[in-house]
Amino acid sequence: VIEDALLVNLKNAYGIQNRPWVVTAELTTKNMPTDCLWGVRETIFVKENTIIVRITGLKTDTSQIAVWTNCYNNGDWIGWKTTA
């Protein structure tokens, strides 16, 4: 389990932070989508300082599986977007 859903390595595509991680509402205490109960976080390294983070998991109401996506582009996160 990773503590920060947006902890990534911006320089090294193969950095340990960019590996798949489990995230949970209970243990992932930073930058977690508010309506995500748990999921698997994947990092897509487009290029240095351009990264996509995707969480596939269960919503907090436990009725839907969803995909949350956030993108870091040269200094800014765009914010979580949800597809259910």
Side-chain angles (χ1 to χ4, degrees):
V1 174
I2 196 166
E3 291 180 15
D4 185 341
L6 295 178
L7 178 63
V8 296
N9 188 321
L10 298 171
K11 306 286 185 193
N12 179 4
Y14 303 103
I16 192 167
Q17 301 91 342
N18 296 345
R19 294 180 182 167
W21 287 90
V22 171
V23 293
T24 70
E26 182 180 336
L27 299 174
T28 305
T29 56
K30 296 178 186 168
N31 298 310
M32 184 76 163
T34 56
D35 60 341
C36 179
L37 182 62
W38 58 262
V40 175
R41 188 206 78 165
E42 301 168 281
T43 302
I44 301 150
F45 191 93
V46 178
K47 63 180 183 177
E48 198 170 288
N49 291 312
T50 306
I51 293 181
I52 297 168
V53 172
R54 178 177 56 212
I55 298 173
T56 305
L58 189 64
K59 285 188 153 195
T60 52
D61 65 10
T62 67
S63 68
Q64 287 185 323
I65 294 172
V67 176
W68 293 266
T69 309
N70 203 335
C71 180
Y72 182 88
N73 190 26
N74 294 312
D76 292 312
W77 288 100
I78 64 164
W80 290 109
K81 308 297 181 209
T82 309
T83 307

